[in-house]
Amino acid sequence: MTLSPLTELPKVAIVILNYNGMKDDYLAQFLPSVYASDYANLELYVVDNHSTDDSVAYLKSEGFQPHTDKSQQDHDFPRYLIELEENYWFAGGYNKALPYVDADYYILLNSDVKVASDWIQPIINLMENDAQIGACQPKVRMVAEPYLFEHAGASGGYIDKWGYPFCRGRIFTKVEEDRGQYDDIQEVFWATGAALFIRKELFHNLGGFDADYKAHMEEIDLCWRLKRANYKVMVCPQSVVWHVGGGTLPQHSPQKAFLNFRNSLSTIFKNETGNQAYKIVFIRLLLDAIAGCRFLMNGEFANIKAIIRAHWSFFAQYGKNKQKRKRTAETVKKYAYEQQATYRKTGVYPKSIVWQHFVKGKQTFNDLEL
């Protein structure tokens, strides 16, 4: 892909949502890599989600000043602190803070992410050369095992015919070694929320994150709206970051399972069109029951309760989600790229990833039957 050089650099803001980032030493461990980002027109914001540790004191010692103070700073690029009055979780925290951030592009970056120095320019070049690209992600590897893809995003997100998410480089819990097999720039279906590049106006025009989600699946929900509005979602593997993962909730947390199951159903219902939404939700309820049987066989009783809670919560929110579904249809039509609300289904796998992986034994993205 040949890209034209940029004559003027758009303004980019890295926005990191922090909650008790000193507890696991994430701020001290990973902020130095962010400071080393090689991009000229850049600002850095940390949004503190009402931490109870000494995160705020540490950030102030690092030269972060209130976002309302735009005085000169003695850094390569300005560092600002936004303090929230309570913990709004991931989705709500970003929704509260981003209206205070002035930039052409947001980079929503997890606090447990290490970045390469040249990670910004390749993606901004790509997006500036194609106005239809609404969001993009870098390639994501593990911090602990840097040769492996990381669960949250790997080299671009896909969904299958029943709305199950997976990635180039990661299918369910199976992650691949990065040997350069997915280094091509591709249009995908969703981009990771751990390092999400998105145009400012699109984030706000399309409604931002759904704060009711709290955490998990909110980036897929937003990217689905982008795809409905005829925007591309891309992966640019020439940009690389390393992610710890599980920073919001532990990997095997019942609360994480609850949010994933509930938010997945809500995402499908709100975003899939026509009667197909009801069909897919019905199938997913059945498949969730099968997942519950698998948890039962493994003695994971807390996760079984999480599935039941998730289903009850989804049904309890049916009326609210029906209103959101209507609002989504209106919004994507109003803000569609070139006023053509064409549902871009690139990145939708036409088969069942559950069947391909668990029954047919397909372990890698390149093994999948198209």
Side-chain angles (χ1 to χ4, degrees), residues 265-303:
L265 290 170
S266 296
T267 298
I268 294 164
F269 181 71
K270 289 191 306 175
N271 292 291
E272 190 53 83
T273 56
N275 292 329
Q276 187 72 1
Y278 294 91
K279 175 183 176 181
I280 294 176
V281 166
F282 176 73
I283 295 296
R284 282 296 299 269
L285 291 171
L286 297 178
L287 291 172
D288 287 355
I290 294 173
C293 294
R294 189 163 173 259
F295 286 140
L296 179 63
M297 291 170 57
N298 294 331
E300 299 177 48
F301 302 110
N303 282 333

Side-chain angles (χ1 to χ4, degrees), residues 7 109 166 189 285 288 292 316 340 356:
T7 57
L109 185 69
F166 62 102
F189 195 81
L285 291 171
D288 287 355
Q340 297 179 14
Q356 292 292 318

Side-chain angles (χ1 to χ4, degrees), residues 55-357:
S55 290
V56 170
Y58 174 79
L59 290 165
K60 289 179 178 178
S61 74
E62 286 288 294
F64 285 80
Q65 62 189 33
H67 68 280
T68 53
D69 183 358
K70 299 296 182 179
S71 59
Q72 187 67 35
Q73 296 190 33
D74 186 23
H75 303 293
D76 291 335
F77 47 85
R79 305 175 185 179
Y80 298 116
L81 174 63
I82 300 175
E83 295 183 63
L84 300 180
E85 67 276 11
E86 62 181 270
N87 183 354
Y88 292 99
W89 287 76
F90 184 93
Y94 271 123
N95 286 354
K96 289 283 185 180
L98 287 177
Y100 299 105
V101 178
D102 180 29
D104 299 303
Y105 292 91
Y106 295 144
I107 305 176
L108 309 185
L109 185 69
N110 279 17
S111 61
D112 59 345
V113 171
K114 176 184 175 182
V115 301
S117 60
D118 59 351
W119 70 299
I120 297 176
Q121 193 72 58
I123 294 182
I124 297 302
N125 281 359
L126 178 66
M127 297 183 76
E128 283 290 284
N129 273 269
D130 187 348
Q132 196 172 4
I133 298 175
C136 189
Q137 72 156 82
K139 178 165 65 174
V140 188
R141 295 180 184 150
M142 291 186 186
V143 167
E145 299 177 89
Y147 56 91
L148 294 179
F149 286 109
E150 208 280 319
H151 184 276
S155 192
Y158 288 69
I159 61 170
D160 79 343
K161 64 184 294 185
W162 304 124
Y164 281 102
F166 62 102
C167 306
R168 293 200 309 172
R170 189 272 297 175
I171 299 177
F172 292 103
T173 59
K174 174 68 176 180
V175 293
E176 298 180 47
E177 180 179 348
D178 179 13
R179 303 185 306 277
Q181 68 272 41
Y182 307 122
D183 274 357
D184 52 322
I185 296 172
Q186 282 282 345
E187 181 177 358
V188 292
F189 195 81
W190 58 272
T192 177
L196 178 65
F197 288 64
I198 188 166
R199 298 180 191 273
K200 173 189 175 180
E201 73 276 6
L202 285 180
F203 181 89
H204 295 292
N205 287 346
L206 294 180
F209 292 130
D210 186 333
D212 290 335
Y213 281 30
K214 292 188 174 181
H216 301 294
M217 299 293 295
E218 67 287 317
E219 75 271 44
I220 298 178
D221 175 54
L222 177 56
C223 287
W224 206 324
R225 276 175 269 150
L226 285 167
K227 302 285 277 193
R228 288 272 307 275
N230 196 24
Y231 282 93
K232 299 176 185 177
V233 177
M234 305 291 289
V235 59
C236 180
Q238 287 64 48
S239 170
V240 184
V241 303
W242 295 263
H243 184 214
V244 173
T248 304
L249 289 168
Q251 187 66 35
H252 300 291
S253 162
Q255 179 66 8
K256 187 185 186 99
F258 164 75
L259 291 172
N260 275 329
F261 279 98
R262 185 197 65 177
N263 294 350
S264 182
L265 290 170
S266 296
T267 298
I268 294 164
F269 181 71
K270 289 191 306 175
N271 292 291
E272 190 53 83
T273 56
N275 292 329
Q276 187 72 1
Y278 294 91
K279 175 183 176 181
I280 294 176
V281 166
F282 176 73
I283 295 296
R284 282 296 299 269
L285 291 171
L286 297 178
L287 291 172
D288 287 355
I290 294 173
C293 294
R294 189 163 173 259
F295 286 140
L296 179 63
M297 291 170 57
N298 294 331
E300 299 177 48
F301 302 110
N303 282 333
I304 296 173
K305 291 181 180 178
I307 293 176
I308 296 171
R309 284 178 54 224
H311 286 187
W312 277 112
S313 180
F314 170 72
F315 287 121
Q317 294 180 349
Y318 175 79
K320 190 174 186 179
N321 279 333
K322 195 168 183 179
Q323 292 177 345
K324 291 179 183 178
R325 175 178 165 86
K326 179 181 178 182
R327 190 161 59 245
T328 293
E330 295 169 347
T331 301
V332 298
K333 183 177 180 179
K334 180 178 180 180
Y335 295 108
Y337 178 73
E338 294 186 342
Q339 296 301 300
Q340 297 179 14
T342 303
Y343 184 174
R344 297 186 66 86
K345 294 195 175 183
T346 305
V348 178
Y349 181 58
K351 298 185 178 183
S352 167
I353 191 65
V354 173
W355 182 265
Q356 292 292 318
H357 182 66

